[in-house]
């Protein structure tokens, strides 16, 4: 928007030139993945990692996106009724999302989530997806995603989904 200051952060695809060694979010699984596996997953096209960097180029957060599929029977009934009865439906997996411990409380998790949802929505012009799925590690993560309109998948208590129609409403310009 006009008149708003430029953000001191930018989101970009993970590159070999990014220094991942200093990143620490406090969740061992997420830290280990980012330092040791994210680059391999990107090269093998298993996941698309994106990093949030500050003005100095330091990584302050990251997330990953991947193709995913969900069984129609796993969806909440109200959503499933609106979709075709194919055995598997295409979705996007937000596999990981983490913010460095030093930058918590600055709404950077929301900034990364909105970037991931926007990329996922824009991608549906070329690759179909009924929504974005996350698997939460704890109650804090569950509360974060549910605050942003993700809904639980009834048969999988750790999985949540935000329908693409909800994402589209947030980003479509009238």
């Amino acid at each position: 928007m006009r008149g708003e200051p430029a953000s001191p952060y930018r989101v970009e695809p993970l590159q070999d030139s990014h220094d991942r060694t200093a990143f620490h979010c406090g969740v061992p699984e997420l830290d280990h993945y980012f330092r040791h596996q994210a680059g391999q997953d990107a090269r093998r096209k298993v996941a698309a990692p994106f990093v949030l960097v500050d003005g100095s180029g330091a990584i302050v957060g990251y997330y990953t996106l991947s193709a995913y599929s969900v069984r129609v029977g796993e969806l909440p009934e109200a959503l499933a009724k609106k979709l075709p009865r194919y055995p598997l439906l295409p979705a996007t997996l937000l596999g990981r999302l983490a913010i460095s411990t030093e930058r918590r409380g600055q709404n950077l998790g929301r900034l990364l989530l909105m970037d991931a949802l926007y990329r996922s929505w824009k991608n549906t012009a070329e690759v179909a997806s009924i929504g974005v799925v996350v698997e939460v590690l704890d109650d804090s993560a569950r509360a974060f995603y549910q605050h942003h309109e993700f809904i639980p998948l009834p048969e999988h208590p750790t999985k949540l989904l935000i329908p693409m129609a909800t994402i589209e409403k947030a980003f479509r310009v009238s």
Side-chain angles (χ1 to χ4, degrees), residues 103-122:
R103 302 295 175 99
R104 292 229 176 102
Q106 298 177 16
N107 282 325
L108 297 179
R110 182 183 188 285
L111 187 141
L112 271 181
L113 176 60
M114 292 303 114
D115 189 83
L117 295 178
Y118 183 76
R119 284 180 199 273
S120 299
W121 172 63
K122 291 300 280 184

Side-chain angles (χ1 to χ4, degrees), residues 37-81:
Q37 191 67 39
Q40 292 176 43
D41 281 359
R43 284 187 294 279
R44 293 177 180 158
K45 306 295 185 208
V46 175
F50 293 88
V51 293
L52 178 66
V53 296
D54 65 14
S56 71
I59 296 171
V60 298
Y62 79 94
Y63 69 84
T64 64
L65 294 175
S66 302
Y68 191 71
S69 60
V70 62
R71 295 186 188 290
V72 71
E74 296 173 334
L75 298 171
E77 177 116 8
L79 178 60
K81 284 196 282 189

Side-chain angles (χ1 to χ4, degrees), residues 7 33 36 44 70-71 91 103 115 119 130 134 146 150:
S7 173
Y33 171 82
H36 304 287
R44 293 177 180 158
V70 62
R71 295 186 188 290
R103 302 295 175 99
D115 189 83
R119 284 180 199 273
I130 63 157
V134 296
Q146 286 183 317
F150 280 74

Side-chain angles (χ1 to χ4, degrees), residues 135-156:
E135 187 161 353
V136 297
L137 295 176
D138 57 32
D139 289 339
S140 174
R142 177 186 313 287
F144 171 78
Y145 288 111
Q146 286 183 317
H147 175 77
H148 291 94
E149 301 188 57
F150 280 74
I151 55 177
L153 295 182
E155 293 184 16
H156 301 282

